[in-house]
Amino acid sequence: MATATLDSEVLLDIRDLQVHFDVRRGTVRALEGVNFTIRKSKTLGVIGESGSGKSVTARAIMQLLAKNGSIVSGEMLYNRQRDDSGDSELIDIAQQPSDSQLMRDLRGGEIAMIFQEPMSSLTPVYTAGLHIGESIQLHLKPRQTVGDQMAKAIARQNRIPREEARQIAVEMLDKVGIPRPEERVVSYPHELSGGQRQRVMIAIALSCGPKLLIADEPTTALDVTTQAQINDLMLDLQEEFGMAIMYITHDLGVIAEMAEDIAVMYLGRIVEQGTTDAIFYNPQHPYTRALLRSIPRIGQTEGSRLEVIEGMVPDPFSIPTGCSFNNRCPDVMPGVCDARMPELLIAGDGQRAACLLHDPDTMQEVTRARVH
Amino acid sequence: MLSYIIRRVGYSVVMLVLVSFVGFVIIELPPGDFLTQLLTELEGRGDRSAEDRVTELRLRYGLDIPLLPRYVKWAANFVRGDFGESFALERPVREVIAQRFWLTCALAVASILLVWIAAIPIGVFSATNQYSIGDQIFTTISFIGLGVPGFLLALLLLFYVVQFTDVDILGLFSREYRDAPWSFAKFVDLLKHLWLPALIGSITGTAGLIRIMRGNLLDTLGQPFVESARARGLKSRTVTWKHAVRMAINPLIVILGSEALPGIIVGNALVATVLNLPTIGPEFVRALQRQDMYLAGTTLVFFTLILLVGNLLADLALAWLDPRIRLE
């Protein structure tokens, strides 16, 4: 998009992203206009219940949607920085074919992803070193050197030699805190623990120096102590490598610790986005408030029940009209919330919330109706 | 790894001994078999040479000693390469089998190669293009291939070839080479004849293997490691072949060793009978019909041996291909 511009601080700007899946029963509107921005070197936490579209958003950014899924509309503007020249160009990922050269260069090279299931995210018949080396040989180019060596490098299809790739793999394993990396580089996945496998996944992801790391519930499958270690590791590595992180989770405690910004998703929409402080201390959307009330707290009155959000996440084929949260919302305004679709509006401490309570026009009408 | 191999070989030997015992009991089982008939006939004749022959046969097959020692005697002879006599053919069993063994193997290997060369790419195509027109066509063809018995296919082909061409389709050799000693020309002649029975023998196998390959690969393509390979920016083709097919093919190795190899050697007796092929299968059927028990029993033990060796090779290949199996 030649016309679109981005703030130089912004790495990725998602605008009105819509993703549909064709299934037997019809079309599932998995994403219905998702808007958020990821800032360079910052962490955006994406939070929401199962089925809210967190993982679909991540896969849309990677252009890795399942065959029956398609990006119907919207933009995903990626601010690509050329390391050599310092110039930046704007790429609309939504327009790139999944198997294009550009997309393959971005995937793994500039936008890396780690997954929910470290136990099965590595091909069982290949060693940790092979996985890392594969990525390095694919994305990193040999350093330009003079004379013969350069000619050799070009002759070798401009690839980093295998031995050097292995060396980098060992360094990366060391960086992600795997003990005795020289030995572990030839380990097969089944010889590693779940935590170690996720560390290897992180090593693969970071080996090519990505600008954005998408972590899709990276610690869900791990036990609590390992979870904390992996999260600490990601924060340390973020400091060292300076990449932005999109951290998907349904764990509010983790997100508070990891993220600078938070986007709250509900049924394929962002209902609130803002800084972590704003979201936690001054939530503006009823859904966010309900989520926060459902966390157990130290000092909670003994014997008191944990608050739950009323009702269930609706079936994807019977999403309520108007605001999709209206059937579970404690602050619902009958006749208003089921008729009108709220947009993301500035509210509270500078965050944006998609709730009609923050829409001045709607509220004026409501007040007028009450007076009459 | 070494201890794994030794253990597997050990199991195979135990299995072979057990099966050979069953084979031996089968040899002994039928009343009125060739040996009994021969002995009755000889005794009936009652002259000196006939009596000598009776004594010799009783001694050779240990007819006067109990079952177990007799088995040991038979097994000891078997190990030494003396499989007894085919009474119907009046030749040592060893000669009968040796004559047919290599041709049977050649045919089996040719069939298996054809099966794999055809089935793997088609299976991969079908899985990566699930529900496409191509997949539907291959699926239909493979179901027909699975449903039509090999011998019927052989008959149809035979009819077609004899009716419309002048190709000499019967047997594995042209008339002039049939009894000729081995030479390069005879080998070329064999290759000319081999492809057709190999093709027929491989059709059912190919159809089955396409289904299995397609199913396995579809399972594998849904695995998280395939998605993470794509997320690393690998080309689709690399993801499919280097990561998905590489994993999906492992179970096929087991099928190759435990079903395909023995199946093609043993199971195509019917096809071989129709096409008049000089392989072991039809001879085994004939031996059973004539109650030529030493030939039948020996063939049975050989079949088992092939099955066990096939299994062993498959297990070793799998251990070599899949590090998870190499656990001590």
Side-chain angles (χ1 to χ4, degrees), chain A residues 89-329:
Chain A
E89 58 173 323
L90 219 49
I91 296 169
D92 184 3
I93 291 173
Q95 301 297 324
Q96 309 305 324
S98 171
D99 218 27
S100 63
Q101 180 69 47
L102 173 66
M103 219 42 238
R104 277 189 275 121
D105 285 345
L106 290 182
R107 267 202 300 266
E110 294 188 34
I111 305 176
M113 185 162 175
I114 57 175
F115 296 85
Q116 226 179 93
E117 309 95 352
M119 303 310 281
S120 46
S121 285
L122 295 162
T123 311
V125 295
Y126 296 127
T127 60
L130 186 136
H131 282 91
I132 307 175
E134 187 179 59
S135 227
I136 291 168
Q137 289 196 312
L138 198 63
H139 294 293
L140 292 188
K141 299 288 168 240
R143 251 162 267 134
Q144 302 284 310
T145 42
V146 278
D148 274 358
Q149 275 187 313
M150 189 169 147
K152 264 189 221 160
I154 291 166
R156 254 187 252 112
Q157 295 175 314
N158 206 20
R159 270 189 172 189
I160 287 182
R162 185 179 287 226
E163 187 43 43
E164 202 185 321
R166 204 196 73 95
Q167 206 48 53
I168 302 175
V170 173
E171 282 166 30
M172 286 310 301
L173 288 179
D174 192 38
K175 278 205 162 66
V176 297
I178 286 186
R180 287 175 289 118
E182 302 83 7
E183 292 168 35
R184 282 308 178 199
V185 79
V186 291
S187 290
Y188 287 97
H190 70 269
E191 296 166 328
L192 303 168
S193 70
Q196 281 177 322
R197 284 184 220 186
Q198 197 59 294
R199 284 173 196 266
V200 171
M201 289 303 293
I202 294 173
I204 296 169
L206 298 189
S207 61
C208 304
K211 299 288 183 287
L212 173 62
L213 174 67
I214 301 176
D216 187 359
E217 303 197 28
T219 59
T220 304
L222 304 172
D223 65 73
V224 183
T225 38
T226 318
Q227 280 183 10
Q229 289 169 3
I230 295 286
N231 286 331
D232 287 347
L233 174 70
M234 286 176 64
L235 287 178
D236 288 348
L237 292 171
Q238 184 177 33
E239 218 158 90
E240 186 178 345
F241 288 81
M243 74 282 183
I245 299 178
M246 174 177 164
Y247 194 103
I248 297 172
T249 181
H250 50 241
D251 187 332
L252 285 158
V254 167
I255 212 84
E257 196 183 314
M258 297 290 294
E260 278 97 8
D261 300 306
I262 290 179
V264 183
M265 283 194 85
Y266 185 75
L267 285 177
R269 288 173 206 274
I270 302 290
V271 292
E272 188 163 2
Q273 186 188 2
T275 61
T276 304
D277 282 351
I279 299 283
F280 272 87
Y281 296 117
N282 195 9
Q284 294 298 311
H285 196 285
Y287 178 65
T288 316
R289 286 192 212 125
L291 269 186
L292 289 169
R293 275 198 303 272
S294 65
I295 329 175
R297 279 165 214 282
I298 295 176
Q300 204 166 22
T301 325
E302 220 173 293
S304 71
R305 283 181 160 268
L306 206 56
E307 281 199 47
V308 293
I309 304 177
E310 287 296 320
M312 301 278 287
V313 178
D315 177 270
F317 291 101
S318 51
I319 290 172
T321 53
C323 171
S324 46
F325 189 55
N326 77 58
N327 61 339
R328 302 172 74 190
C329 183

Side-chain angles (χ1 to χ4, degrees), chain B residues 6-18:
Chain B
I6 292 170
R7 205 167 60 230
R8 287 293 289 108
V9 172
Y11 288 150
S12 301
V13 170
V14 172
M15 196 65 203
L16 190 64
V17 170
L18 287 176

Side-chain angles (χ1 to χ4, degrees), chain A residues 41-87:
Chain A
S41 307
K42 303 285 185 201
T43 300
L44 170 75
V46 178
I47 198 153
E49 287 165 276
S50 309
S52 60
K54 311 182 297 280
S55 295
V56 174
T57 310
R59 277 156 184 78
I61 297 171
M62 298 291 277
Q63 278 285 3
L64 279 181
L65 292 170
K67 271 184 191 157
N68 60 342
S70 55
I71 295 169
V72 180
S73 68
E75 294 174 343
M76 293 186 275
L77 299 175
Y78 174 66
N79 201 349
R80 191 185 207 193
Q81 206 82 35
R82 288 274 176 200
D83 282 335
D84 33 9
S85 60
D87 295 341

Side-chain angles (χ1 to χ4, degrees), chain B residues 304-327:
Chain B
T304 315
L305 188 66
I306 290 167
L307 181 71
L308 287 172
V309 169
N311 263 325
L312 183 66
L313 288 179
D315 280 354
L316 294 181
L318 202 58
W320 177 61
L321 282 172
D322 192 339
R324 288 170 298 179
I325 294 170
R326 276 174 236 160
L327 297 173

